[in-house]
Amino acid sequence: MSFKPLNDRVLVKRLESEEKTAGGLFIPDTAKEKPSRGQVVAVGPGKCDDSGKRVAMSVKAGDTVLFNKYAGTEIKLDGEEHLVMREDDILAIID
Protein backbone atom coordinates (compact mmCIF):
# COMPACT_ATOMS: atom_id res chain seq x y z
CA MET A 1 0.00 0.00 0.00
CA SER A 2 1.28 3.47 -0.84
CA PHE A 3 1.23 6.00 2.02
CA LYS A 4 2.28 9.65 1.67
CA PRO A 5 2.03 11.82 4.81
CA LEU A 6 0.69 15.36 4.43
CA ASN A 7 2.25 18.64 5.65
CA ASP A 8 4.52 18.09 8.68
CA ARG A 9 3.46 14.50 9.33
CA VAL A 10 5.92 11.59 9.53
CA LEU A 11 5.32 7.83 9.16
CA VAL A 12 7.44 5.90 11.69
CA LYS A 13 7.91 2.17 12.27
CA ARG A 14 8.73 1.32 15.90
CA LEU A 15 11.99 -0.49 16.55
CA GLU A 16 11.90 -3.56 18.77
CA SER A 17 12.71 -3.04 22.44
CA GLU A 18 15.43 -4.83 24.35
CA GLU A 19 14.72 -8.41 25.45
CA LYS A 20 16.90 -8.22 28.55
CA THR A 21 18.25 -5.60 30.95
CA ALA A 22 21.85 -4.44 31.29
CA GLY A 23 22.14 -6.78 34.30
CA GLY A 24 21.17 -9.79 32.17
CA LEU A 25 17.54 -10.25 33.35
CA PHE A 26 15.01 -11.16 30.68
CA ILE A 27 11.95 -8.91 30.41
CA PRO A 28 8.62 -10.73 29.94
CA ASP A 29 6.27 -9.49 27.19
CA THR A 30 3.71 -8.33 29.75
CA ALA A 31 6.22 -6.00 31.43
CA LYS A 32 7.63 -4.43 28.27
CA GLU A 33 6.82 -0.85 27.42
CA LYS A 34 6.28 0.22 23.84
CA PRO A 35 9.58 1.48 22.47
CA SER A 36 9.97 5.21 21.89
CA ARG A 37 12.51 4.70 19.10
CA GLY A 38 11.65 4.15 15.48
CA GLN A 39 12.72 4.40 11.89
CA VAL A 40 11.22 7.04 9.60
CA VAL A 41 9.50 5.38 6.64
CA ALA A 42 8.03 8.45 4.88
CA VAL A 43 7.80 12.21 5.45
CA GLY A 44 5.45 14.89 4.23
CA PRO A 45 6.56 17.97 2.29
CA GLY A 46 6.62 20.19 5.41
CA LYS A 47 4.18 22.74 6.77
CA CYS A 48 3.55 26.22 5.45
CA ASP A 49 4.67 29.27 7.42
CA ASP A 50 2.63 32.47 7.78
CA SER A 51 3.75 33.78 4.39
CA GLY A 52 2.72 30.54 2.63
CA LYS A 53 6.22 29.17 2.00
CA ARG A 54 7.01 25.51 2.77
CA VAL A 55 9.34 24.87 5.70
CA ALA A 56 11.57 21.88 4.93
CA MET A 57 11.43 18.85 7.22
CA SER A 58 14.36 18.10 9.57
CA VAL A 59 13.98 14.32 9.24
CA LYS A 60 14.11 12.12 6.16
CA ALA A 61 13.19 8.53 5.33
CA GLY A 62 15.65 6.09 6.90
CA ASP A 63 16.47 8.23 9.97
CA THR A 64 16.31 6.57 13.39
CA VAL A 65 14.42 8.86 15.76
CA LEU A 66 13.42 9.18 19.41
CA PHE A 67 9.85 10.35 20.01
CA ASN A 68 7.40 11.08 22.82
CA LYS A 69 5.98 8.00 24.53
CA TYR A 70 2.36 8.78 23.61
CA ALA A 71 3.05 10.48 20.28
CA GLY A 72 1.18 9.83 17.08
CA THR A 73 -1.67 7.70 15.87
CA GLU A 74 -1.19 3.97 15.44
CA ILE A 75 -2.10 2.52 12.04
CA LYS A 76 -1.59 -0.84 10.35
CA LEU A 77 -0.04 -0.93 6.86
CA ASP A 78 0.48 -4.24 5.09
CA GLY A 79 0.03 -6.06 8.41
CA GLU A 80 2.69 -4.03 10.27
CA GLU A 81 2.18 -1.44 13.03
CA HIS A 82 3.23 2.12 12.22
CA LEU A 83 2.78 5.57 13.78
CA VAL A 84 1.76 8.77 12.05
CA MET A 85 2.98 11.78 14.04
CA ARG A 86 3.85 15.43 13.67
CA GLU A 87 7.48 16.39 13.27
CA ASP A 88 7.14 18.32 16.58
CA ASP A 89 6.62 14.99 18.42
CA ILE A 90 10.11 13.82 17.39
CA LEU A 91 12.65 14.62 20.09
CA ALA A 92 15.92 13.67 18.36
CA ILE A 93 17.59 11.94 15.44
CA ILE A 94 19.82 9.07 16.58
CA ASP A 95 23.08 8.53 14.66
Side-chain angles (χ1 to χ4, degrees):
M1 176 185 303
S2 177
F3 187 89
K4 178 73 175 157
L6 299 176
N7 297 327
D8 65 334
R9 302 279 201 277
V10 180
L11 180 67
V12 176
K13 182 176 185 219
R14 285 188 198 262
L15 295 177
E16 293 300 319
S17 61
E18 295 293 322
E19 294 291 324
K20 64 180 182 174
T21 64
L25 298 174
F26 285 94
I27 303 170
D29 290 337
T30 55
K32 286 183 189 173
E33 291 187 15
K34 288 188 176 181
S36 57
R37 288 184 348 149
Q39 185 165 17
V40 176
V41 176
V43 296
K47 67 177 165 184
C48 294
D49 62 9
D50 294 335
S51 64
K53 293 183 180 179
R54 286 263 180 217
V55 178
M57 299 285 277
S58 303
V59 297
K60 61 186 181 306
D63 284 347
T64 301
V65 294
L66 183 68
F67 51 86
N68 289 327
K69 190 179 228 178
Y70 301 106
T73 303
E74 293 184 357
I75 63 168
K76 210 170 218 185
L77 291 174
D78 298 328
E80 293 186 33
E81 297 273 333
H82 290 77
L83 289 168
V84 177
M85 64 181 71
R86 290 187 179 273
E87 184 183 30
D88 294 341
D89 291 333
I90 296 175
L91 304 173
I93 299 172
I94 301 170
D95 289 331

